[in-house]
Amino acid sequence: MKSYQKLTTAAVPQPAACRVEEEGAAPTPAGRGKLAPWWVGSGLLVAAVLLSTLTVWVLRQVSGGWPGPTLPPKCLLVPESHRFDCYPERHVVVTQELCESRGCCFIQSPPLAGGKQGVPWCFYPPDFPSYALESLNQTALGMVGLLVRREKAYYPRDIEMLRLDVEFETDTRLHIKITDAANPRYEVPLEVPRATKRAENPIYSLDFSRDPFGVLLRRRATGTVLLNTTVAPLIFADQFLQVSTLLPSKFLYGLGEHRGPLLHSLDWSTLTLWARDVSPTESFNLYGAHPFYLLMEEGGDAHGVFLLNSNAMEVALQPAPALTWRTIGGVLDFYIFLGPDPNMVIQQYQQVIGFPAMPPLWALGFHLCRWGYGSSNETWQTARAMRNYQIPQDAQWNDIDYMDGYRDFTLDPQKFASLPSLVEDLHKHGQRYVMILDPGISSTNPHGSYWPFDEGLRRGLFLNTTQGQPLIGQVWPGFTAFADFSNPDTQQWWLENLQRFHARVPFDGLWIDMNEPSNFMDGSEEGCPPGELDSPPYTPAVLGDSLSAKTVCASAKQKTSVHYNLHNLYGLMEAKATASALIQIRGKRPFVISRSTFPSQGQYSGHWLGDNQSQWKDMYYSIPGLLSFSLFGIPLVGADICGFSGSTSEELCTRWMQLGAFYPFARNHNTQNEKAQDPTVFSPAARTAMKDVLLTRYSLLPFLYTLFHRAHLQGDTVARPLFFEFPRDVTTLGLDRQFLWGWSLLVTPVLEPGVDSVTGYVPRGVWYDFYTGSSVNSSGEMLKMSAPLEHLNLHVREGAILPTQKPETTSEATRKNPLRIIVALSQSGTAWGDLFWDDGESLDTFERGSYSYLVFNVTQNIFTSTVLHASAEATEVTIGTLSIFGVREPPSKVLLNGQEKPFSYLGNQVLTVSDLGLSLSQGFSLRWL
C-alpha cells in the first residue's frame, strides 16, 4: 500500500499517477518502485519534520508522557497540522484502544483555548487502506473509472467498487462524480446543465494518484494545486462518505448557513450543514445548507467547489490548510469552478444552480413588520404614521398573529377583521402587503372544519411515518402535519389554498417561515422509530446531537425519498411551490422570502437571516451573513433591521437603519412584547436620520434595480465583498465590516455605540463622497471618517456612473421622477455605467424584450448615453440632471447635443447640469470645454 502524500502547493507528487494530459491522452502508470518526486524535492523538509518529531517523541517516552508502550514511526511522519481525524464522533472519549481498533495513529494533544478540541488524537497513518484506481477510460466528455477497495473500512456497508465520472464541462468548470458502481443511490433532484461536448481549452489540468486513489487538480496558468485528495483516505460507506483535500491558501469563504466572520477560521473548526430552527449563534448549524466554498489563492486568483449533496454533512477545517467533507448519504458529486477571479467563480456556480429571479421593483423598497401588532387596525395605524411622517415604505407585513389560532390560510375574525380593507388602502397608496405562512398544518380541528388539513389528508399530501400515517409534530397551532412539497400534488393543493385566501385578502408577496421544517418536538408526538435513518452509524455535529432535534424524524416518508435525504431541501421545495402559486394567482413577478434555503433557491426566493437580537454584534454579523448569501446565489437578502428579539435602543436602531438601508432586502422586524421600533416611534432627530437614509436608498433604486438585472442575467453579485473587486489587495481578504453595491458604491457603516467617526478601508484609487462629490485619493489605507449619528458614509469608485432618481415614499412614485446621473470620473477622465428599466413587475420582461437598456460612457470630456434597447416605459421618464465628479478644470461652456447649456461648477470639482428634460428613450451626448 502506497503512502499518502503530504504536499505543498509548490511541489506535487504523482505516486503511481495516471496523468490526464490537456489533449486527453490515455493515462499511463508512473514507474513503480521509483522515489516519488515529492520525496526528492522535499527530502530536507521531511527530514526536519521527522527529526523534530522524533526528538519530542524521545523526550515524552523518557518522561512517561506518551500513552502506550510504543508509537509506530509512520505516525511520527505526520505533522500536527496534517493529522486528519480518524475518530470524528462527538461525545466519545477517544482512547488508544478505540483508535487503534480502526487502524489509526493515537497521539494525545492539549486542547485549544476554552477547552475546544484541536489537533485530533486519532488520525490516519500514511498507509491507511483506501481505494485504488483499477481502470480509467476516455469518454466523449471526459473519462470514466473504476475504484476498488480491497480492505473494509470501519463503517458498516462500505462499498467495494465505485464509479468515477469526470466531465470537462467547460474551460472553467470541471465535474467529478463518485458513486456506487453496482447500485443506484439517492441523488439531489436538482436540474443541472448537461455538457454536450468536452471543453477544448480548459484552464485546469487533472492528475490522478492510482493507489491510493486521489485527485490532483492544478490551475494551468500558475501551477497552483487547487485540490489534492491524496492526503487522507477516501471512505464511501452507505451512510458515511468522506474525502479530504489540501487547500492552496487559508482564505476560505462560504459553507453556510452559519454565523461568524466572512473569512472562515481553519484552526480546527467544523461547519455542520443540517437545516435547523435556532436563533443565529456562532458554531451552530442554522436554517439553510450551502455546500459551496470560494477560496482565494495566493496572487489573487479564485476557485470554488460545490458538493451537490443534500444529506446531513459537516466540513472540517484544519490549518494545513486542509478541508474534509463528511456526509452521511447520497453521492460525492463535485463541481469545481476555476474563475479565475471571484466574480467569475460565482457566475460559474450559478450557471450550474441557476441564476436568481428578477425581483419586482417594490421588493427593493423598505418593508415593515412586527410580531405583535395585535390587530389589523394597529397594523394600519403604523402604516398611516409612516405616511404622515413621509417616511418611505413599500410593503407592510404581518406575522402569525393575523391568523385564527395560528392556522395557515385563516384570519382572526375579531382582531384582523379589517385586514382586507387595510390591504385595499395599501394598494391605493402604491404599497404592497406580505403575510407569513408556515408549512405545519393544524391537525386537531373537527373533521370538515379546516379544509387545508382535510383536503391534504384526503389527497395524501403530508409527510408520513414509517407506518404510513401522517407524522404529527407540534408548531404554533398545536399538533400539526407537514406538507410534503416533494409531491407535485402538494404544489397544486398549496396553490388552491392560496387562491382561496387571496380571494379574501389580496396579498402581494409571501413570507415562508419555519421551513427547516421546524418542530417544537423532537421527531414527532410518538418520537422516532429505531433504525439507521434516525440513528445513523455516524451523526454529524448537529445542534441537539440528533437528526430529529427540533424537526421531524429522518425516517419520515416523502413522495420523492425519505426525509433523511430531503430534509435540507424542504425550504427550497416550499419556495418553488410558493413562487409558482404567486405567478398563477397574480400573473406578476413573485416575491417570496424564505428562512430555509438550499442551492438554486435564488430562482424562487430571497432570504432573511433569521431571528437575530437587538445587539450591536448582531448588526455586525449581518454583513458577513448577507455577503455569504451573495456567494450562494441568493442576492435578495437582509437581516431584521434593529434586531428581532430583545429591546433596541435609539442609537442602535438609527445605526442599524443606516446599514439596513443598504441590505439588498431591507425590512425592519420586531418580536412581540417589546417596544415598537419602526421609525415613527423615535425622537425627531432619530426619525429624521432614518427617513433620510431611506430616501437615499430610494434615490438609488435605479442603480440597485440594474444590479439585480445583472444578477438575474449573468450571476453578478449585488452586495459584494471588497476582495471581489480588489482580489490582489490582501488587506481586503478579511474585511467584513464594509461592503460594496456592485463594483462601485462603498458602504462603511458605524457598528459600535457612542462614536461619531468610523474607520474604514479605502482601496487604492480615487473615491468620491456620494453626497458632495468631494474626492479622496487613497493609496489603499484605513481612513477615519466623520460619522455623526445622522450620517452614513458612502463613496463612489472612480470610473463609475450611477443612475439615481429623485426619491418619493414608494418605489411606484419614485420611478415617475426625473433621473439624476452621477458620474465619478477616473484619474484618466473616463467612466462607465448602465441602466436597466422596465415596468417593474411583469414576468420575463428581459426575455420578452419589454425593457430598455442604456449604457453611459465618458471619454475626453464627452458624456454619451446610448440606448441599446428601448421599450414604451422609457418614454415616460426623463433624465433631469447630470452631476460629474472630478472635473479638474472649470469648464467654459457645456454643450448638450451641440447646444450650449447652463451649468454650475463647485470648488470640489463637481460639474452639474440641470433641467435637461431628456427622454430616457433618446440617446444624447454632453460635452464640456
Side-chain angles (χ1 to χ4, degrees), residues 107 232 278 742 793 845 874:
I107 300 177
V278 61
N793 278 278
T845 55

Side-chain angles (χ1 to χ4, degrees), residues 226-439:
L226 309 182
L227 295 179
N228 172 11
T229 70
T230 67
V231 290
L234 168 66
I235 296 180
F236 200 122
D238 182 38
Q239 290 182 272
F240 186 90
L241 292 71
Q242 177 176 278
V243 63
S244 301
T245 181
L246 287 181
L247 301 171
S249 87
K250 62 182 180 180
F251 299 108
L252 182 78
Y253 311 86
L255 299 172
E257 180 177 10
H258 297 94
R259 164 177 283 204
L262 181 63
L263 177 64
H264 286 302
S265 166
L266 271 58
D267 193 16
W268 303 106
S269 58
T270 298
L271 303 168
T272 306
L273 281 65
W274 182 247
R276 168 65 193 250
D277 172 8
V278 61
S279 295
T281 307
E282 297 87 323
S283 81
F284 288 179
N285 50 295
L286 302 182
Y287 311 107
H290 292 272
F292 166 82
Y293 71 75
L294 173 75
L295 189 134
M296 293 300 297
E297 303 156 30
E298 304 292 341
D301 287 338
H303 71 274
V305 176
F306 172 42
L307 173 54
L308 180 50
N309 181 294
S310 62
N311 289 90
M313 182 188 307
E314 63 190 17
V315 184
L317 308 176
Q318 62 193 77
L323 174 152
T324 297
W325 299 93
R326 290 188 202 106
T327 183
I328 60 172
V331 301
L332 296 176
D333 191 0
F334 288 102
Y335 288 86
I336 303 98
F337 310 100
L338 274 289
D341 80 48
N343 292 290
M344 295 171 73
V345 171
I346 302 307
Q347 290 174 348
Q348 292 156 12
Y349 176 41
Q350 291 173 93
Q351 287 167 7
V352 170
I353 63 170
F355 296 125
M358 183 68 188
L361 178 62
W362 65 266
L364 307 184
F366 178 62
H367 301 249
L368 190 56
C369 185
R370 79 164 301 173
W371 181 21
Y373 281 124
S375 70
S376 49
N377 286 341
E378 189 179 333
T379 310
W380 204 340
Q381 190 176 334
T382 301
R384 284 193 185 113
M386 290 286 285
R387 283 182 213 146
N388 289 340
Y389 286 114
Q390 296 183 298
I391 300 172
Q393 181 189 1
D394 258 79
Q396 180 63 53
W397 295 39
N398 277 123
D399 207 318
I400 57 174
D401 40 353
Y402 79 87
M403 300 177 185
D404 186 8
Y406 298 143
R407 292 188 294 273
D408 275 356
F409 313 112
T410 66
L411 197 60
D412 186 312
Q414 277 80 44
K415 295 177 181 176
F416 280 82
S418 65
L419 186 58
S421 300
L422 161 60
V423 174
E424 183 183 3
D425 179 64
L426 291 170
H427 291 166
K428 282 180 180 174
H429 286 85
Q431 295 173 303
R432 305 303 198 279
Y433 179 70
V434 180
M435 65 183 199
I436 196 170
L437 281 176
D438 295 336

